[in-house]
């Protein structure tokens, strides 16, 4: 990855959810410098937004620490492990399913609980629907 240490430091703090002003204060930079570092980093990595760039850096650094070869960030599929933006209508028009497949996510504990309850509710609905269907079939054919 061809990022400077300053760019990497900014992206690490973006990954922690910090704003440009907070990052600037923490690193002793101006907010404009932070924004420039983040924009240049996004362009070099090939990310569509600052959050994705931060995720990609964290993932690349984690793979280096674990001993696996680093992924080529420029050729990476950016849509495979992203969550839908908050507030957008998704699956069934009113709710989106939780992330599946072990991709990186940044849900807090209340969001995780909500998603788990949502999966339980949908599963229970499917079981009840199947039970009613089977009962209806038995009643029809008996």
């Amino acid at each position: 990855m061809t990022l400077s240490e300053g760019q990497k430091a900014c992206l690490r703090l973006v990954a922690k959810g910090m704003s440009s002003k907070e990052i600037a204060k923490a690193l002793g930079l101006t907010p404009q410098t932070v924004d420039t570092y983040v924009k240049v980093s996004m362009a070099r990595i090939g990310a569509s937004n600052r959050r994705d760039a931060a995720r990609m850096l964290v993932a690349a650094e984690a793979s280096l620490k674990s001993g696996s070869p680093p992924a080529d960030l420029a050729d990476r599929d950016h849509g495979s492990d992203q969550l839908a933006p908050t507030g957008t209508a998704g699956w069934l028009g009113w709710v989106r399913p939780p992330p599946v497949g072990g991709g990186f996510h940044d849900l807090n504990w209340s969001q995780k609980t909500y998603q788990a309850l949502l999966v339980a509710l949908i599963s229970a609905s499917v079981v009840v629907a199947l039970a009613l269907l089977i009962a209806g079939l038995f009643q029809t054919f008996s």
Side-chain angles (χ1 to χ4, degrees):
M1 192 177 325
T2 59
L3 298 178
S4 70
E5 284 305 313
Q7 292 165 338
K8 288 179 185 179
C10 288
L11 287 181
R12 286 184 200 111
L13 295 177
V14 167
K16 292 182 179 183
M18 294 176 73
S19 69
S20 292
K21 287 182 181 181
E22 294 169 330
I23 295 169
K25 204 178 265 188
L27 298 179
L29 303 170
T30 66
Q32 293 80 13
T33 302
V34 171
D35 288 339
T36 301
Y37 281 177
V38 171
K39 286 178 185 176
V40 170
S41 301
M42 287 169 43
R44 287 186 182 169
I45 291 176
S48 58
N49 59 51
R50 63 192 279 146
R51 188 170 155 186
D52 289 342
R55 286 181 180 176
M56 293 165 72
L57 174 70
V58 169
E61 288 180 337
S63 71
L64 288 174
K65 286 181 183 176
S66 68
S68 60
D72 184 8
L73 296 177
D75 296 333
R76 186 169 169 184
D77 177 18
H78 301 302
S80 63
D81 61 38
Q82 290 180 352
L83 296 174
T86 305
T88 59
W91 186 62
L92 295 178
W94 58 276
V95 68
R96 62 182 172 86
V100 178
F104 180 80
H105 62 82
D106 58 354
L107 300 178
N108 62 34
W109 69 269
S110 64
Q111 292 169 325
K112 290 177 186 177
T113 303
Y114 171 77
Q115 294 296 335
L117 291 173
L118 181 62
V119 169
L121 177 67
I122 292 169
S123 300
S125 299
V126 169
V127 169
V128 169
L130 286 174
L132 290 173
L133 178 68
I134 292 170
L137 287 175
F138 278 134
Q139 191 174 22
T140 302
F141 291 115
S142 60

